[in-house]
Amino acid sequence: MDCIFCKIAAGIIPSKKVYENEHVLAFYDLDPQAPVHVLIIPKTHITSAAEITPENSAIVARIFEAAAVIAEKLELKDGFRIVSNCGPAGGQSVPHLHFHLLGGRDMTWPPG
Ligand code: AMP
């Protein structure tokens, strides 16, 4: 298991958990880009959004269900942003599918 987020999902590397169920884990990003910056990951290894298929796509729904629960729990009443960087040009640094949930400030568009 040579994947940092697989190790976090397995509890081998500690994280500050926000939400967890059988399929999904959410924890605070170590390098927050907003007052609230949570990463939501599948517990099983999927490298990126480019690897989503009809066979594994149900996890994306589970992740967005978790995002709605987390946004409610963290009182992001004014809104939030969900981002998944994919591949080197997309700015992905950890090759395990993850969604950034950012909130607590006004977001700008377009992103950099
Ligand atoms: P990305 O660059 O889109 O692949 O996002 C990876 C994110 O993982 C970055 O925002 C990092 O700050 C974050 N990160 C890396 N290692 C850890 C860790 N051990 N715990 C929490 N967040 C991490």
Side-chain angles (χ1 to χ4, degrees):
M1 194 200 290
D2 190 27
C3 167
I4 187 171
F5 285 179
C6 284
K7 287 179 179 165
I8 287 175
I12 297 165
I13 292 176
S15 66
K16 197 173 164 201
K17 283 181 199 174
V18 180
Y19 175 89
E20 183 172 17
N21 66 29
E22 187 186 347
H23 303 289
V24 169
L25 176 67
F27 52 95
Y28 285 103
D29 196 293
L30 272 185
D31 181 21
Q33 303 301 312
V36 172
H37 187 169
V38 172
L39 299 173
I40 311 174
I41 68 168
K43 288 187 172 178
T44 54
H45 187 84
I46 299 171
T47 302
S48 75
E51 305 300 319
I52 295 298
T53 66
E55 287 70 40
N56 67 16
S57 63
I59 192 64
V60 180
R62 300 289 91 78
I63 286 170
F64 275 78
E65 289 161 12
V69 171
I70 294 162
E72 171 91 22
K73 179 176 168 179
L74 300 181
E75 301 184 342
L76 299 175
K77 295 181 180 68
D78 292 338
F80 53 90
R81 178 170 291 171
I82 296 174
V83 177
S84 187
N85 299 323
C86 180
Q92 184 177 12
S93 62
V94 176
H96 179 124
L97 179 67
H98 54 282
F99 291 79
H100 299 257
L101 190 160
L102 301 141
R105 66 167 169 83
D106 290 341
M107 301 294 152
T108 57
W109 192 264

